[in-house]
């Protein structure tokens, strides 16, 4: 079978691009360990309080070890629930020391929400029935806005709070 000169060039280019794409994909997946978020951990969206991490007393920021924290959050219609402080007031501001490793665990009871700390690489989609989790090291001291970046209804623009990383 005879191929025209230009057909050979385009076939070589196409096959080369495919091989390059697969090499880059393999490098990212196997060497760098980049994988899509797994939805392996499920939860009953109508009864999130049954899970130990999302009981009212376990919401918010919890120190696990030196420079290791867990933030448990329940997202619902236009509100992030971080629990209550000692006076019984809703927590609207999280303070994390610079350099701390933080595991964010978020669930929702109603619709799909976003969990995005603007200016960091924390960005998750929170779906009913799943626990979304992401572990990050907070290395930049600043005050960040935590917002919902998935349209969740008419009060979507009111769904935000602040996260402060301090020295």
């Amino acid at each position: 079978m005879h191929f025209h000169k230009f057909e050979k060039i385009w076939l070589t280019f196409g096959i080369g691009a495919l091989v390059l794409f697969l090499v880059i994909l393999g490098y990212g997946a196997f060497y760098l360990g980049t994988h899509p978020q797994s939805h392996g951990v499920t939860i009953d969206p109508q009864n999130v309080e049954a899970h130990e991490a999302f009981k009212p007393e376990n919401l918010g920021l919890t120190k696990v070890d030196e420079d290791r924290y867990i933030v448990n959050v329940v997202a619902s219609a236009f509100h992030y629930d971080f629990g209550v402080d000692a006076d019984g007031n809703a927590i609207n501001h999280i303070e994390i020391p610079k350099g701390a490793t933080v595991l964010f665990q978020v669930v929702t009871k109603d619709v799909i929400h976003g969990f995005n700390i603007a200016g960091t690489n924390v960005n998750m989609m929170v779906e009913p029935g799943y626990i979304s989790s992401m572990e990050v090291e907070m290395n930049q001291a600043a005050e960040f806005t935590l917002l919902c970046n998935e349209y969740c209804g008419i009060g979507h623009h009111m769904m935000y709070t602040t996260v402060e990383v301090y020295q």
Side-chain angles (χ1 to χ4, degrees), residues 4-17:
H4 190 272
K5 175 180 154 185
F6 292 126
E7 286 179 310
K8 290 179 186 177
I9 291 172
W10 280 109
L11 280 172
T12 304
F13 175 75
I15 292 170

Side-chain angles (χ1 to χ4, degrees), residues 82-120:
F82 290 98
V84 294
D85 61 15
D87 299 328
N89 300 320
I91 297 173
N92 293 328
H93 181 80
I94 298 288
E95 296 179 353
I96 301 168
K98 181 180 176 184
T101 301
V102 182
L103 173 64
F104 291 97
Q105 297 185 122
V106 190
V107 296
T108 180
K109 297 179 178 185
D110 47 21
V111 298
I112 294 174
H113 293 283
F115 189 86
N116 180 12
I117 301 178
T120 70

Side-chain angles (χ1 to χ4, degrees), residues 141-163:
E143 185 168 294
F144 300 100
T145 302
L146 166 60
L147 52 92
C148 178
N149 60 353
E150 294 286 336
Y151 183 73
C152 55
I154 197 158
H156 167 73
H157 66 286
M158 302 288 290
M159 194 168 174
Y160 65 91
T161 189
T162 57
V163 175

Side-chain angles (χ1 to χ4, degrees), residues 10-118:
W10 280 109
L11 280 172
T12 304
F13 175 75
I15 292 170
L18 178 63
V19 169
L20 179 65
F21 170 73
L22 292 175
V23 167
I24 292 170
L25 187 66
Y27 174 77
F30 298 110
Y31 183 73
L32 297 178
T34 306
H35 299 285
Q37 181 178 353
S38 172
H39 289 298
V41 183
T42 60
I43 191 169
D44 179 11
Q46 303 306 316
N47 192 18
V48 296
E49 294 84 10
H51 192 282
E52 186 67 28
F54 302 105
K55 291 184 177 185
E57 62 271 14
N58 294 332
L59 293 178
L61 182 69
T62 305
K63 186 173 184 174
V64 177
D65 198 8
E66 190 64 34
D67 288 335
R68 293 192 68 79
Y69 295 84
I70 294 178
V71 176
N72 295 322
V73 184
V74 176
S76 57
F78 325 127
H79 175 69
Y80 288 115
D81 186 1
F82 290 98
V84 294
D85 61 15
D87 299 328
N89 300 320
I91 297 173
N92 293 328
H93 181 80
I94 298 288
E95 296 179 353
I96 301 168
K98 181 180 176 184
T101 301
V102 182
L103 173 64
F104 291 97
Q105 297 185 122
V106 190
V107 296
T108 180
K109 297 179 178 185
D110 47 21
V111 298
I112 294 174
H113 293 283
F115 189 86
N116 180 12
I117 301 178

